Every structure is written in C-alpha cells, then in structure tokens.
Amino acid sequence: MATMSRLHLLIPSRTHSSSSYSSLIVSSSSPFPNSHSRLRHFSNHRSRTFTAAPPPPPPPPRLFCSRSDRTAEASDGAPEGPSIVGDLLDYLNESWTQFHATAEAKRQLLAAGFHLLKENDDWDLKPGGRYFFTRNMSSLIAFAIGEKYSVGNGFHAIAAHTDSPCLKLKPNSASSKAGYLMLNVQTYGAGLWHTWFDRDLSLAGRVIVRAADGSFLHKLVKLKKPLLRVPTLAIHLDRTVNTDGFKPNLETHLVPILSIKPEDKSVKSEEKSLPSSKAAHHPVLMQVLSDELGCGIDEIVSIELNVCDTQPSCLGGGNEEFIFSGRLDNLASSYCAIRALADSCASPEDLLNEHSIRMVALFDNEEVGSGSVQGAGAPTMFQAMKRIVHCLAHEYVGEGAYERAIRESFLVSADMAHGVHPNFMDKHEEHHRPQLQKGIVIKHNANQRYATSGVTSFLFKEIAKIHNLPTQEFVVRNDMGCGSTIGPILASGVGIRTVDCGIAQLSMHSVREICGKEDIDIAYKHFKAFYQTFSSIDRKLSVD
C-alpha cells in the first residue's frame, strides 16, 4: 500500500508520428479538442515572427474522413447536429491499451470541468458538482450530481469496459529460436488469434520507473513504430492450409519476432558453455523502452505491456459508412458513454432541474470474466454510490437511504453487439438480425446471460421513441451458446434495474473490427437522452 501510494500517472504527450496519422481526425465544437487541432495550434504558435510570415501551406488531404464527421445529416439532408465520429477515431488512436483508454478519458473529463477524486481521500461533494476517480488506471467512475438531488434519489448509470482481447507479454518474455529474438506472450480473452498473423505490431502499456529520490513513478508507454511480427508459414510448406484450415498452436506458433539475434563476439567460445542468469526481457526491448521513456534501463523496475496493431483507426467503405479499427469492442461504447455524460452536463443549467445522479462506470477485465480489483466483479461502483449517498447526507442518513437509492436507479450495460454477417446469415435467429447503421441493439436472453427484462427494455426503448432514435433487438439461436456482459454481474450484485445493449459490429474480437459510422452518433444521442429524460419517463411507470 505504501509503495502504491507513491505511484503517479504521467500521461505522455499526445502527438502523432506523421501528418497522415493526424489527418484522420476532424475537429468539432465539443469540449474535447482533438490532437490534430492541438498540433496545428502548437505549430502556429512557434512560427510567430516580427516580420510578415509566408502564406501557410495548403492543408493535408483528409484521409478516410467524410463531411459528416462534423455534422450528421438526416436522409433528407437536414443537419442533425455535430457528429462525434472524428473524436471517436481520435480516442481509438490514443487508446492502444486499457491504461491509455482510461488516461484519455481522464484527460477529457478534466478538460470538461470534472474534478478528480482519490478513493483513499475524504470526499466533499455538492449538488451540481461533477467528479470522477480512477482505479489501477484501467477503470474509471465519473458522476454528476443534480442540483435538486435529495438523499434516496437514484443513479442513472452507463457501464462499459476498457479492455479488449490481445496478446500480453509474459513476465519472462525473452526467447530465441533459429537466430531470431522472440517475445513470449499470453493470450488475453477470446481473441480471433489467426487475425494477428502478418500484422505490423508493436507494444504499449505501463511501466514502473525508479526515480532519483528512490520513489517509483507510474508511466504509460506506446511504441508507435512497427516493432513485432507474427509471420505465417509459407503455403509451400503447408499445402493443406486452405482445405484443412489454419489451426495455429497458441503456445508455439503465436510468438512474435522482435529482431535478428546479434552475434555475441564479446564472449570467448570456451566461456559460452558456462551458466549465466538470463534476463527476463531482451536487452534490445529494454533499450527501446528506455529510449522512449527517457530513462536508464536499470531504472525500469516493472513492465506490463500489450501487443498492439499499429494501423490507425479510420473510416472506410464505398461511402465511408464504416469504421475500421481495433478495440471497437468495447472502446466505442466507452467513448459514447463518457462523451454523453460530459455533454449532458456541460453547463450549470444542465443539472439545474436534475433530481438524480448521472454516472459512467468503465471497468477492466471484462474479456476474462471481470473477476479483479478493477473489474465489474469488484464492488467499485456500488461502493462509490454508497459514499456519494452518505457524503451528500452529511451527518444524518435516513434508514435505508442507500438501498432506496439503488431501487430508484437504472443501469445501461453497454457492450458491442453481433451484427448479422452477410456470408453467415444462418448464424442469427431469423427474426433478430441486427444490422449496421440501424441503431442500438437491445440484447435479450431467457437464461439471464443478459440482464434485460421486459420492463428495462421498454424504458430504454421509450427514450429512443421520444427522441426518434432507432433500436433493434437481438436474441441468440436456441442451438447456439450465448455470450454475456457485465450487465448480469452488476444487476445481481445489489439488484439494480439493468438493460443490456450495444452497437452492432462485424469481426468481433478480431485484431481489426468493423462498425457503422452512423451507429456511433445514434448511440451517443441515445445515451445523452437517457441522462436528460430518463427521470421523467421512469416516474410514469410503477412496478413493485
């Protein structure tokens, strides 16, 4: 505990490595300025002189961006308001790991006027206030308190997760075979691991660095250049791969190549047979990390790194209607939730007539069951709710104040959904085939793999109906297994009303996923409408 209390988050600079990378992002009028606009502002500031400056060069071509990145349009061409798609691309390109996703959410909340809390400090909360805290820098709880809140009123929460299936370095990652330096990795979650072959890969995550005064610093690192590769075997050496299928052994075949093993000329031949202690990680890897962090190799005392695809998130498709990206599951939901919360209380007037507390909870480790201190299986969100209730009650807390607040509360469990695949339509139940670009998918399962009930589904769809937003329904086939989400975990924890929903996508758990561009804006509007109108809808329905 004493060591962890000394850890400090140092968020690295958000500059992009090339103009083509930064040109993927289109700025908007939101309180979240994107990295491209900040780079342009910084460059202009440094170029000031006392003489007339030459005319600026023409802007770089806008790659993979459409006109609707700024303003979404209805089918009749009428503007529907700003789009958040460009900002989502920015968020995805920053958030290579769960740590970076949480750090970026933290940065955006601070920019939007939220106040950072510490879980181990006393809280001083007030109606109208906006607050958040992080845990492990991979989970986050943010909330805004209505001006008319009174003890016993409910929480309106959206929960998502920050992690995605990936490869993670083993504690002893150094390996060498056939003259190559290799990195031993673990598979995290249920990934489509064949999609990780023949990709330009790199590393990102966090390290613990020893400072000059003996303290320890928590730093995030992202190696943007292609550093690793998992090559496939040539078809000449595997003639039946296209008929029998590609079935790699995840322990022996899914090992990334780092570099050619250098010839060690410093050791005499007779000394090579002597035993020596093997380093946990290759010196070349530690040198790359040292150069990136600006510290000595001996100052790096711990690393926790994910293998990441280096290809940027972008728009694609004949009409640029798709988003091509890694980690859409579930950073797309996470960003829509954070953005909806911030925008729903951007000005003091937004909370003036609110009686409840608006909340976002982002958890880690959903892909492996949520059973961790930073996962949804931990009581983080409900402990925060109890602290909020007690803090706002001051000295007196009425009987069952927290329990009454839970009964009044409503949770939206937001995770990505299975869009119907045109080449595998029979994998979907005939009458429940969600499509891309058709709105949020509400998930149902009679065996409680999803927490949706008839009541919670109705309330969530009523929000969409009032705001003219489309929704879809999903039920898995009876002859197939059904995945699950954090919804049932949270719903059963304290008995909070819950609906499971998500944005339809293809290629789920691939290194490169697909979703519809319009669905991002629909989800954002649905979540924002949830915060703004749920109280008025909920009071019209009474279910004992």
Side-chain angles (χ1 to χ4, degrees):
M1 180 65 71
T3 300
M4 293 304 295
S5 66
R6 295 195 297 270
L7 301 182
H8 304 286
L9 171 66
L10 299 180
I11 302 177
S13 172
R14 301 178 68 251
T15 57
H16 296 302
S17 59
S18 67
S19 59
S20 62
Y21 179 85
S22 60
S23 66
L24 292 170
I25 311 305
V26 179
S27 63
S28 73
S29 57
S30 75
F32 306 140
N34 60 52
S35 56
H36 183 46
S37 61
R38 287 196 301 277
L39 283 171
R40 184 170 59 249
H41 173 78
F42 178 72
S43 176
N44 291 343
H45 175 74
R46 292 196 51 168
S47 64
R48 293 176 183 171
T49 64
F50 292 102
T51 60
R62 296 171 62 207
L63 303 179
F64 305 113
C65 292
S66 73
R67 56 195 172 94
S68 61
D69 282 346
R70 259 193 183 278
T71 302
E73 294 187 359
S75 57
D76 60 0
E80 290 188 334
S83 169
I84 69 166
V85 170
D87 295 322
L88 170 66
L89 292 175
D90 192 9
Y91 182 73
L92 291 167
N93 283 321
E94 290 295 333
S95 304
W96 281 18
T97 72
Q98 68 276 31
F99 307 119
H100 291 84
T102 304
E104 179 61 10
K106 173 183 177 179
R107 185 196 67 79
Q108 294 188 0
L109 288 171
L110 288 172
F114 281 67
H115 300 281
L116 177 62
L117 303 172
K118 300 292 184 182
E119 282 193 277
N120 55 346
D121 290 345
D122 290 333
W123 291 358
D124 181 17
L125 310 178
K126 302 184 186 321
R130 296 169 294 169
Y131 310 92
F132 76 100
F133 66 88
T134 64
R135 177 181 288 188
N136 189 52
M137 196 40 62
S138 63
S139 62
L140 178 149
I141 306 289
F143 56 96
I145 305 169
E147 290 279 5
K148 293 186 177 181
Y149 172 84
S150 61
V151 175
N153 289 355
F155 293 81
H156 300 158
I158 301 175
H161 64 89
T162 59
D163 62 317
S164 302
C166 66
L167 304 176
K168 293 178 178 284
L169 289 198
K170 292 181 178 178
N172 296 316
S173 71
S175 174
S176 61
K177 300 176 185 177
Y180 294 99
L181 297 184
M182 319 276 287
L183 295 183
N184 293 320
V185 295
Q186 303 178 76
T187 56
Y188 175 84
L192 290 173
W193 302 120
H194 67 275
T195 66
W196 287 74
F197 284 75
D198 294 337
R199 301 289 302 187
D200 295 345
L201 305 174
S202 193
L203 294 166
R206 66 175 174 189
V207 300
I208 307 299
V209 177
R210 181 188 295 108
D213 62 0
S215 63
F216 298 97
L217 304 178
H218 173 270
K219 292 189 176 184
L220 301 188
V221 64
K222 181 163 58 176
L223 304 174
K224 296 180 181 178
K225 66 178 181 180
L227 193 67
L228 308 173
R229 190 88 170 189
V230 185
T232 50
L233 184 63
I235 193 170
H236 313 84
L237 305 177
D238 189 8
R239 290 289 187 180
T240 63
V241 65
N242 289 329
T243 55
D244 296 346
F246 182 45
K247 303 173 183 178
N249 182 289
L250 300 184
E251 177 65 22
T252 60
H253 298 157
L254 194 60
V255 185
I257 291 175
L258 173 64
S259 68
I260 297 291
K261 184 178 181 181
E263 184 178 353
D264 188 359
K265 299 180 180 180
S266 63
V267 181
K268 295 181 181 180
S269 58
E270 62 268 19
E271 295 177 347
K272 288 185 178 181
S273 61
L274 296 177
S276 61
S277 59
K278 180 182 177 182
H281 307 287
H282 288 303
V284 64
L285 171 61
M286 299 306 293
Q287 186 62 58
V288 171
L289 291 172
S290 171
D291 293 342
E292 182 71 18
L293 294 165
C295 67
I297 293 178
D298 59 340
E299 296 172 1
I300 301 175
V301 297
S302 179
I303 65 174
E304 186 174 353
L305 301 178
N306 296 358
V307 177
C308 306
D309 185 24
T310 60
Q311 185 175 356
S313 305
C314 64
L315 296 184
N319 297 306
E320 296 183 336
E321 63 265 67
F322 300 127
I323 295 176
F324 297 157
S325 174
R327 307 173 304 282
L328 287 172
D329 177 17
N330 190 31
L331 293 186
S333 304
S334 297
Y335 182 75
C336 289
I338 285 288
R339 182 65 177 270
L341 175 64
D343 287 357
S344 73
C345 55
S347 65
E349 293 77 17
D350 292 332
L351 295 172
L352 196 60
N353 295 311
E354 179 61 78
H355 293 77
S356 300
I357 296 173
R358 302 170 183 176
M359 177 176 279
V360 163
L362 305 183
F363 296 103
D364 193 3
N365 300 133
E366 187 275 346
E367 297 292 357
V368 292
S370 299
S372 69
V373 67
Q374 58 273 354
T380 313
M381 185 176 78
F382 301 119
Q383 288 176 346
M385 288 177 171
K386 182 175 289 188
R387 291 188 67 175
I388 293 167
V389 170
H390 288 201
C391 185
L392 293 173
H394 303 292
E395 290 82 12
Y396 173 75
V397 178
E399 185 276 325
Y402 169 66
E403 288 75 12
R404 287 187 286 117
I406 294 297
R407 297 288 80 73
E408 293 287 332
S409 298
F410 193 93
L411 174 68
V412 176
S413 169
D415 206 344
M416 301 299 278
H418 295 290
V420 62
H421 195 303
N423 298 332
F424 300 91
M425 291 182 63
D426 60 331
K427 295 295 184 180
H428 274 72
E429 198 277 334
E430 181 180 3
H431 303 290
H432 298 87
R433 291 173 171 168
Q435 294 179 299
L436 273 60
Q437 305 283 65
K438 299 295 185 181
I440 277 188
V441 179
I442 299 175
K443 306 175 185 180
H444 304 261
N445 185 261
N447 297 303
Q448 296 303 299
R449 299 293 289 171
Y450 302 127
T452 306
S453 70
V455 171
T456 60
S457 174
F458 162 75
L459 290 170
F460 196 60
K461 286 191 289 187
E462 192 69 10
I463 297 168
K465 181 179 178 181
I466 291 173
H467 293 269
N468 196 29
L469 297 169
T471 59
Q472 307 180 78
E473 314 272 1
F474 173 75
V475 175
V476 74
R477 289 172 55 109
N478 289 329
D479 55 359
M480 294 178 62
C482 182
S484 191
T485 69
I486 59 177
I489 296 172
L490 296 171
S492 61
V494 293
I496 187 172
R497 295 178 296 170
T498 302
V499 63
D500 266 301
C501 69
I503 299 168
Q505 72 164 103
L506 300 175
S507 304
M508 185 178 287
H509 288 195
S510 169
V511 73
R512 198 77 175 166
E513 300 173 322
I514 310 172
C515 75
K517 180 177 67 176
E518 290 182 13
D519 285 332
I520 298 300
D521 287 323
I522 293 171
Y524 160 70
K525 292 173 184 177
H526 202 146
F527 293 167
K528 186 177 179 182
F530 165 69
Y531 287 128
Q532 294 173 329
T533 62
F534 182 78
S535 294
S536 61
I537 297 171
D538 190 34
R539 69 171 63 105
K540 297 178 182 179
L541 175 67
S542 177
V543 179
D544 294 332

